[in-house]
Amino acid sequence: MHKNILLYKAMLQHFSGDPRRCQHLIKVASLAKEIAILEGADEKLIDLVEAAGFIHDCGIVVGEAKYGKGHCTGKIQEQEGPAIAQKILGELGYAQPEIERICYLVGHHHTYSNIDGLDYQILVEADFIVNFYEDGLSKEAIAHTIVKIFRTASGKDLVRTMFAL
């Protein structure tokens, strides 16, 4: 079985009982994979961003246990997530370079300065697209974020189409 399918199942178990978070990770992973394909990425990068999409919010469970439900900020997710991601990815047989990069992405997916690669950019954009809808952002806020954060043509096109901008 493909390791990303195993990761998908592991993350559903990680967020068991929280359908909102389960659906969030499915949507982010799917959009990350779609953007990567549309941007012409190779199979390695496509698999990597899909995996990062599945696991990017893994720090929420520990963060909420430490700071209370609803008090797990993006920075706390970045702080708590990499250790959890490293354990899960290692158990599923991901190669060490993949683990290192995915853990880096988990530890930075709410940091929007110094985005250092297409994989990072795609994960940020996919997470934003899902959050735009889930958080009920206004068209004005979405348009501002596209200008400020989005860099891929595919990510911009997806947002403009989805939100009729």
Side-chain angles (χ1 to χ4, degrees):
M1 187 175 297
H2 192 279
K3 62 188 173 194
N4 280 1
I5 297 299
L6 296 174
L7 178 59
Y8 161 71
K9 289 182 170 192
M11 292 311 301
L12 290 181
Q13 189 60 44
H14 183 76
F15 286 117
S16 180
D18 192 341
R20 182 181 183 277
R21 295 238 166 81
C22 290
Q23 290 191 21
H24 178 82
L25 69 91
I26 292 165
K27 291 184 280 187
V28 172
S30 176
L31 285 172
K33 183 176 182 176
E34 180 179 346
I35 293 168
I37 291 167
L38 291 169
E39 289 295 310
D42 62 24
E43 287 299 318
K44 185 176 177 182
L45 190 121
I46 292 166
D47 284 346
L48 188 127
V49 297
E50 180 184 47
F54 283 136
I55 203 165
H56 76 285
D57 279 344
C58 65
I60 290 174
V61 174
V62 171
E64 286 188 339
K66 285 184 177 181
Y67 304 102
K69 190 160 180 71
H71 293 91
C72 185
T73 65
K75 291 300 166 195
I76 292 170
Q77 291 174 41
E78 289 180 338
Q79 174 186 317
E80 301 295 339
I84 297 160
Q86 183 170 13
K87 180 179 185 302
I88 293 169
L89 295 167
E91 289 171 354
L92 295 176
Y94 283 78
Q96 192 57 38
E98 292 172 310
I99 293 171
E100 289 173 11
R101 185 60 180 173
I102 294 168
C103 287
Y104 177 83
L105 296 174
V106 169
H108 292 84
H109 75 279
H110 285 285
T111 301
Y112 311 124
S113 59
N114 301 316
I115 293 176
D116 69 355
L118 182 59
D119 54 356
Y120 188 169
Q121 185 66 45
I122 288 170
L123 178 62
V124 165
E125 290 181 13
D127 197 27
F128 262 110
I129 293 169
V130 175
N131 286 330
F132 289 155
Y133 174 73
E134 290 179 351
D135 296 343
L137 266 68
S138 69
K139 286 188 177 189
E140 295 78 21
I142 294 168
H144 175 74
T145 303
I146 292 171
V147 170
K148 188 173 178 184
I149 303 293
F150 281 56
R151 297 292 173 259
T152 72
S154 303
K156 292 175 187 178
D157 288 345
L158 284 169
V159 174
R160 289 182 180 124
T161 300
M162 284 184 190
F163 297 93
L165 298 178

